[in-house]
């Protein structure tokens, strides 16, 4: 009987979420894709303007072939966690490729970037165990609008309130003030931020961040360590797809990335100096006690990195950047306002009202376009937006038709 009562509590919570119009569980089911990558939903084609597959690599024939080959060679799954049953060559090759792509000494993969953030932040912030030399005498400083996986990584580390603080969104001067204010109080400081912020497409200035943390390094006995989660940047941002670091000319100590967005595959990673990665391989619970993604996915990701590294990658990045420019010009010419000046494939159209934003997303869906509406509490009240995501798969006609549909839908 008491279990029934718990179910009633859950039912009430579901009703509350439904009433607040923030439900996420009613996911659209895509039955298949057409050859030109339109999603088929209940028999009707839709152009995706809400995908993180910025270069279109998830549909790439060579990526599929590499996935199949790795799966045939190594099996559909990894078999067990790595310290139990060893690892297959494809994961080591992938880790070498990631380290080399980002010009780092070493890299390790996780089942997702979410899992990477949980594992990395927990270990770096709190230390491995009560017996380890690495203790929790840490100040963690986090950008105010960091991704949920970073916030949860900090929560999991379980530091007390005085060990945690946030700096103003994108404000490295504020970060500097905070680091100076706490000098001498903690053994080390860890600064953590998104590279690209997924709601607005803004990029953190990694060069400025590096300068500020470098200047404050001696204020802490064990220095200031920087962790950047560039999930939306890696593969698709910066001149050769190295992400926010390349775009701003800076470098962090530990770079977290995903293989599931710009690289079109799946899984997460962290890359940095060898000693960091060795420590994390020993200590990050989401790595040690959890299977990696499948060998097929590792093969697919390896091929995707190879493509981004080559001539085809340059062409795809060029196309993506041309599409971003065309979209920004056309949507502004049509009288819309962009919520921020983003140079990334994420482009937020400012609508400013939750009901209108919702209605516009629905109207665009009826016109054959998939986009995401974003409202409070994800963005401040009055900053409701339609988040548009460009891809190298779009052609000029897709973008022109989308902008035209936005205009038509707003007029009706
Ligand atoms: C900044 C950021 N970090 C991490 C993630 C999670 O990536 P993954 O899907 O690989 O767990 C996301 C995904 O939305 C993200 O935007």
């Amino acid at each position: 009987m008491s279990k029934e009562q718990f179910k009633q509590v859950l039912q009430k919570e579901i009703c509350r979420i439904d009433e607040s119009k923030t439900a996420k569980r009613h996911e659209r089911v895509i039955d298949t894709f057409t050859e030109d990558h339109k999603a088929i939903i209940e028999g009707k084609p839709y152009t995706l303007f809400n995908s993180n597959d910025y270069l279109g690599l998830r549909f790439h024939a060579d990526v599929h072939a590499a996935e199949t080959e790795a799966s045939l060679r190594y099996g559909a799954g990894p078999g067990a966690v790595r310290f139990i049953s060893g690892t297959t060559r494809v994961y080591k090759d992938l880790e070498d490729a990631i380290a080399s792509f980002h010009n780092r000494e070493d890299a390790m993969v996780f089942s997702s970037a979410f899992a990477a953030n949980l594992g990395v932040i927990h270990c770096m912030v709190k230390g491995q165990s009560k017996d380890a030399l690495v203790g929790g005498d840490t100040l963690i400083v986090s950008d105010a609008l960091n991704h949920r996986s970073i916030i949860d990584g900090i929560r999991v580390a379980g530091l007390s309130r005085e060990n945690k603080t946030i700096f103003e969104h994108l404000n490295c001067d504020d970060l500097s003030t905070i680091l100076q204010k706490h000098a001498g109080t903690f053994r080390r400081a860890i600064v953590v931020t998104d590279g690209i912020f997924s709601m607005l497409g803004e990029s953190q200035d990694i060069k400025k961040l590096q300068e500020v943390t470098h200047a404050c390094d001696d204020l802490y006995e064990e220095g200031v360590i920087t962790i950047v989660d560039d999930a939306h940047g890696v593969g698709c941002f910066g001149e050769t797809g190295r992400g926010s670091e390349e775009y701003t000319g800076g470098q962090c100590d530990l770079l977290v990335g995903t293989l599931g967005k710009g690289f079109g595959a799946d899984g997460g990673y962290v890359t940095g100096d060898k000693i960091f990665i060795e420590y994390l391989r020993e200590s990050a619970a989401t790595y040690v006690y959890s299977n990696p993604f499948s060998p097929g996915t590792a093969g697919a990701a390896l091929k995707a990195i190879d493509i981004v590294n080559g001539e085809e990658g340059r062409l795809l990045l060029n196309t993506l950047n041309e599409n971003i420019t065309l979209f920004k010009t056309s949507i502004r010419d049509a009288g819309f306002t962009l919520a921020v000046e983003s140079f990334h494939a994420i482009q937020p159209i400012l609508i400013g009202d939750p009901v209108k934003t919702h209605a516009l997303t629905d109207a665009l869906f009826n016109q054959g376009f998939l986009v995401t509406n974003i409202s409070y509490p994800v963005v401040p009240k009055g900053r409701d937006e339609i988040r548009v995501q460009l891809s190298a798969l779009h052609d000029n006609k897709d973008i022109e038709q989308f902008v035209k549909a936005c205009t038509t839908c707003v007029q009706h």
Side-chain angles (χ1 to χ4, degrees), residues 103-156:
N103 197 20
R104 300 302 216 278
E105 287 176 8
D106 205 355
M108 63 196 273
V109 294
F110 291 75
S111 55
S112 67
F114 204 113
N117 276 331
L118 290 188
V120 170
I121 296 171
H122 183 197
C123 290
M124 296 301 289
V125 167
K126 191 61 188 274
Q128 184 187 1
S129 74
K130 64 181 171 36
D131 305 322
L133 289 175
V134 187
D137 190 10
T138 311
L139 173 71
I140 179 125
V141 197
S142 174
D143 185 287
L145 292 188
N146 273 343
H147 187 256
R148 175 65 184 263
S149 53
I150 295 180
I151 295 167
D152 279 9
I154 296 171
R155 278 188 190 141
V156 167

Side-chain angles (χ1 to χ4, degrees), residues 112-114 117 147 149 194 198 229 231-232 258 261 267:
S112 67
F114 204 113
N117 276 331
H147 187 256
S149 53
D194 286 17
S198 56
D229 167 8
H232 287 271
T258 183
K261 302 187 195 296

